[in-house]
Amino acid sequence: MLSERRLEVLRAIVQDYVGTEEPVGSKALTERHRLGVSPATVRNDMAVLEDEGYIAQPHTSAGRIPTDKGYRLFVDKLAGVKPLSVPERRAIQNFLDGAVDLDDVVGRTVRLLAQLTRQVAVVQYPSLTRSTVRHVELLPLAPARIMLVLITDTGRVEQRLVDCPAPFGEASVADLRARLNSRVVGRRFADVPKLVQDLPDAFETDDRPTVQTVLSVLLEALVEESEERLMIGGTSNLTRFDHDFPLTIRPVLEALEEHVVLLKLLGEAKDPGVTVRIGHENPHEGLTSASVVSVGYGAGGPQNEALAKLGVVGPTRMDYPGTMGAVRAVARYVGQILAES
Amino acid sequence: MLSERRLEVLRAIVQDYVGTEEPVGSKALTERHRLGVSPATVRNDMAVLEDEGYIAQPHTSAGRIPTDKGYRLFVDKLAGVKPLSVPERRAIQNFLDGAVDLDDVVGRTVRLLAQLTRQVAVVQYPSLTRSTVRHVELLPLAPARIMLVLITDTGRVEQRLVDCPAPFGEASVADLRARLNSRVVGRRFADVPKLVQDLPDAFETDDRPTVQTVLSVLLEALVEESEERLMIGGTSNLTRFDHDFPLTIRPVLEALEEHVVLLKLLGEAKDPGVTVRIGHENPHEGLTSASVVSVGYGAGGPQNEALAKLGVVGPTRMDYPGTMGAVRAVARYVGQILAES
DNA sequence: GCTGGCACTCCGCCCCGCAGAGTGCCAAGG
DNA sequence: CCTTGGCACTCTGCGGGGCGGAGTGCCAGC
């Protein structure tokens, strides 16, 4: 186990390195932090920390920089989450309050997070398989053409054109609409298939193929709707690091374009609080020199089941306490907004 | 006016510079192109071209690179649009054919364009003010709560929750729905306000405030729907140039995040064919070292009114004929897809 | 108007030397 | 056993000088 002072040295190294972006040496450390010991002692501590794998030197006889393991220890044991200032909180609320619909909420959240953390923001649309159906609408457009509209409790709307195998009268459409809604409204997506299974039986033989077609389109839309989507913003913030990482910005941009990868990444974060993934802890190659700070959010309270995730992507050398604070705060306010609507 | 050969020299310079990314000298030019004259002659021509502002030297006694004016002449007079190969066309069609809905079409188009041109792709959603209303649906959710769903001919769906000032019976909802649709279906957004203006008069005095509320929400949704949106992809392609332009990638990324700016930029391109904006021709600061190649697309034929624009953003040093060809081809196929659905 | 020749310029590269920062180790002191 | 000051060592970064190469502009000749 590392002594108290060595942990303190590690903390100081992380803080200084995050601030200055330069390897930090023993002398500078003793000057900037009141450690109460001489540089020589710090050097010894640093040697130990290096042996243990918490810090490393980019080149012999340079200062030390934290390793992924060092950041991990820092995040887990040495740093808390830095709460936002009151003006910041007020700004968040004001900014999010103006949203008119779900797209707008997500869009504003992305911009807000990116601006607040000065990093790349990622926000997943709140629409998981635990969503429920709010309403299904059928609109006869032509004798054999129906538009199906699915509305979910998260405020999303999905629409599909249905080409019927046979003409289907307006009365039948109304009938199907009524029966359908009485069965599925308020139900979870996953439960819908078996709830509508026997629905065709209630109709005339002639109409059954059409009913079947409508149902299969509905089920398909449900699958699509539970597919997760996300929005990204603040990519220009990546360039703040390009003098350091001219090579790493590219794979990060590529990873950000692969929404599937990001969704998987966010989905893996099961922690009820803020989850931090540092460097090589990320499964995706392009992100091995990046950190991902994410948290679930939802219309319920903090403990409530999260509808989706949001977070930021930045260099491993990031201000973890501040970023975690911002991510957590934004998630809370977004949750409030969603709960109100 | 420039002589035939001097134009030929300019064309050769542009082609070589685009290919090699290095300033091109007189000797290399005569070796790589059969100009039929000696380097000395080419040097004289280059001096003239430089006087006229078509080319410039980054430093004294270096080769020449084209200026924005040089690229402009190249695009207008010296180069055509390079048609895509048959396999490329087939790939486009295959890729776009799999789209299930509008979001998917736009998403696929962005990815396709980015991949094809290896540049940043920008696709505007097809929803301009010339869109028409396909259907308006009203769903009573509670006695004083209605969901309004607006479906447009471009396949977009917009939904709004309406809190009614007074309870509103199901029969009244059905009545309003019928009256509303009979007036606005098939009409352009812009025409809707005056078409529904006198609608409240047809209802009981008690219901008029509610009808008025519903109408104002509808009008608001129409405005929102005609707001233009766009999707961007392939930003990682920007990094292919970062060794040349470490400073310019940042403002470009920033400009790309400002969708409003991009929409304005696309909107200004009135050319019926492919529009090319080179470097300083772009109004936005961040894009003064970038070129934008764009074209309108829509469900009609090429001459038909365009629903929206799509295009790519890249360095001024880009393969204009190839890029223009790709942009034009993608626009055509997307138009076809939209026409079919 | 084209061509070959020639002197000139300037960039990029490499090597050198040097100052600075930082380290590891050691021996002495608490 | 931990801490401290001292010291020799290493490595990076930076400025200076020299050099080759590519390219130019100009000029005289055809």
Side-chain angles (χ1 to χ4, degrees), chain B residues 154-291:
Chain B
T154 53
R156 288 200 62 80
V157 177
E158 198 80 17
Q159 97 289 358
R160 287 285 187 287
L161 229 51
V162 186
D163 280 314
C164 310
F168 198 55
E170 294 230 3
S172 307
V173 171
D175 188 22
L176 178 56
R177 180 196 298 131
R179 288 174 188 273
L180 207 46
N181 277 294
S182 73
R183 296 199 184 196
V184 302
V185 167
R187 299 314 190 101
R188 297 196 168 183
F189 288 8
D191 301 331
V192 170
K194 58 174 179 291
L195 287 168
V196 300
Q197 208 170 7
D198 59 341
L199 208 51
D201 303 340
F203 288 80
E204 306 272 336
T205 322
D206 288 354
D207 285 342
R208 286 189 194 160
T210 295
V211 172
Q212 198 58 60
T213 307
V214 171
L215 290 182
S216 65
V217 170
L218 170 64
L219 297 184
E220 187 188 291
L222 283 170
V223 170
E224 169 117 349
E225 173 59 19
S226 40
E227 259 177 23
E228 296 157 342
R229 300 177 50 208
L230 47 79
M231 191 176 274
I232 292 172
T235 46
S236 62
N237 288 327
L238 278 179
T239 56
R240 289 195 299 132
F241 312 106
D242 64 354
H243 50 101
D244 277 307
F245 301 98
L247 13 126
T248 58
I249 181 174
R250 157 137 230 189
V252 172
L253 268 176
E254 282 173 355
L256 288 175
E257 295 218 341
E258 295 190 40
H259 290 192
V260 182
V261 171
L262 281 180
L263 285 166
K264 191 154 156 258
L265 191 65
L266 290 176
E268 284 170 0
K270 295 295 182 196
D271 198 307
V274 178
T275 302
V276 180
R277 293 233 181 187
I278 298 164
H280 293 84
E281 296 171 10
N282 283 308
H284 189 269
E285 261 191 68
L287 295 175
T288 47
S289 62
S291 285

Side-chain angles (χ1 to χ4, degrees), chain A residues 5 36-38 40-41 43-44 59-61:
Chain A
R5 195 191 57 226
V37 290
S38 75
T41 307
R43 279 204 290 280
N44 291 329
H59 313 284
T60 319
S61 93

Side-chain angles (χ1 to χ4, degrees), chain A:
Chain A
M1 196 49 209
L2 291 169
S3 76
E4 192 61 32
R5 195 191 57 226
R6 291 196 180 132
L7 291 175
E8 195 54 42
V9 169
L10 176 58
R11 169 189 283 143
I13 291 173
V14 171
Q15 286 175 349
D16 278 20
Y17 182 61
V18 166
T20 65
E21 313 199 353
E22 276 171 8
V24 17
S26 54
K27 187 149 163 268
L29 258 199
T30 55
E31 283 165 2
R32 296 175 44 112
H33 298 80
R34 306 191 171 274
L35 295 169
V37 290
S38 75
T41 307
V42 172
R43 279 204 290 280
N44 291 329
D45 291 342
M46 284 172 140
V48 174
L49 286 168
E50 181 162 11
D51 280 347
E52 304 281 334
Y54 294 109
I55 56 179
Q57 337 186 43
H59 313 284
T60 319
S61 93
R64 305 304 216 290
I65 62 175
T67 61
D68 289 353
K69 189 180 171 188
Y71 285 122
R72 169 53 57 200
L73 184 62
F74 176 81
V75 168
D76 289 347
K77 302 277 161 65
L78 304 177
V81 176
K82 189 166 134 217
L84 298 196
S85 68
V86 173
E88 282 175 317
R89 297 182 164 275
R90 208 162 24 220
I92 292 177
Q93 187 129 33
N94 284 341
F95 191 64
L96 290 181
D97 268 347
V100 300
D101 64 6
L102 184 69
D103 273 332
D104 200 18
V105 170
V106 173
R108 281 167 186 254
T109 305
V110 160
R111 269 173 286 158
L112 184 64
L113 252 187
Q115 208 179 329
L116 225 44
T117 62
R118 296 179 52 85
Q119 272 151 201
V120 180
V122 178
V123 179
Q124 184 183 356
Y125 275 80
S127 59
L128 293 187
T129 44
R130 53 172 78 85
S131 297
T132 59
V133 176
R134 182 180 272 168
H135 190 86
V136 178
E137 185 58 31
L138 299 176
L139 314 172
L141 300 180
R145 210 175 167 111
I146 296 175
M147 168 153 293
L148 181 151
V149 181
L150 165 71
I151 303 164
T152 76
D153 66 335
T154 53
R156 286 199 63 79
V157 177
E158 198 80 15
Q159 96 289 357
R160 287 286 186 288
L161 229 51
V162 186
D163 279 315
C164 309
F168 198 55
E170 294 231 2
S172 308
V173 171
D175 188 21
L176 178 57
R177 180 197 296 130
R179 288 174 188 271
L180 208 46
N181 277 295
S182 73
R183 297 197 184 197
V184 303
V185 167
R187 299 313 189 99
R188 297 195 169 184
F189 288 7
D191 302 331
V192 171
K194 56 176 182 290
L195 287 167
V196 299
Q197 207 169 7
D198 59 342
L199 209 52
D201 303 340
F203 288 81
E204 306 273 337
T205 323
D206 287 355
D207 286 342
R208 285 188 195 163
T210 294
V211 172
Q212 199 57 58
T213 306
V214 171
L215 290 183
S216 65
V217 170
L218 171 63
L219 297 184
E220 185 189 295
L222 283 170
V223 170
E224 168 116 352
E225 173 59 17
S226 41
E227 259 177 25
E228 296 155 340
R229 299 177 50 208
L230 44 79
M231 192 176 273
I232 291 173
T235 45
S236 62
N237 288 326
L238 279 179
T239 55
R240 288 196 300 130
F241 312 105
D242 64 354
H243 50 101
D244 278 306
F245 302 97
L247 15 126
T248 58
I249 181 174
R250 156 136 231 191
V252 171
L253 270 176
E254 281 172 358
L256 288 175
E257 294 218 342
E258 296 190 38
H259 290 193
V260 182
V261 170
L262 280 180
L263 285 166
K264 191 155 157 256
L265 191 65
L266 290 176
E268 284 170 1
K270 295 294 182 195
D271 198 308
V274 178
T275 301
V276 180
R277 294 237 181 181
I278 299 165
H280 293 84
E281 296 171 10
N282 283 309
H284 190 270
E285 261 191 69
L287 296 175
T288 47
S289 62
S291 285
V292 181
V293 177
S294 63
V295 68
Y297 72 94
Q303 254 65 326
N304 211 307
E305 45 184 342
L307 280 173
K309 305 274 170 58
L310 59 77
V312 306
V313 178
T316 52
R317 179 229 308 128
M318 74 161 66
D319 168 21
Y320 289 97
T323 305
M324 291 165 79
V327 167
R328 196 178 61 183
V330 169
R332 280 186 190 157
Y333 283 108
V334 175
Q336 279 183 24
I337 299 282
L338 289 179
E340 288 165 11
S341 62

Side-chain angles (χ1 to χ4, degrees), chain B residues 77-89:
Chain B
K77 302 277 162 63
L78 303 178
V81 176
K82 189 167 134 217
L84 297 197
S85 68
V86 173
E88 282 175 317
R89 297 183 164 274

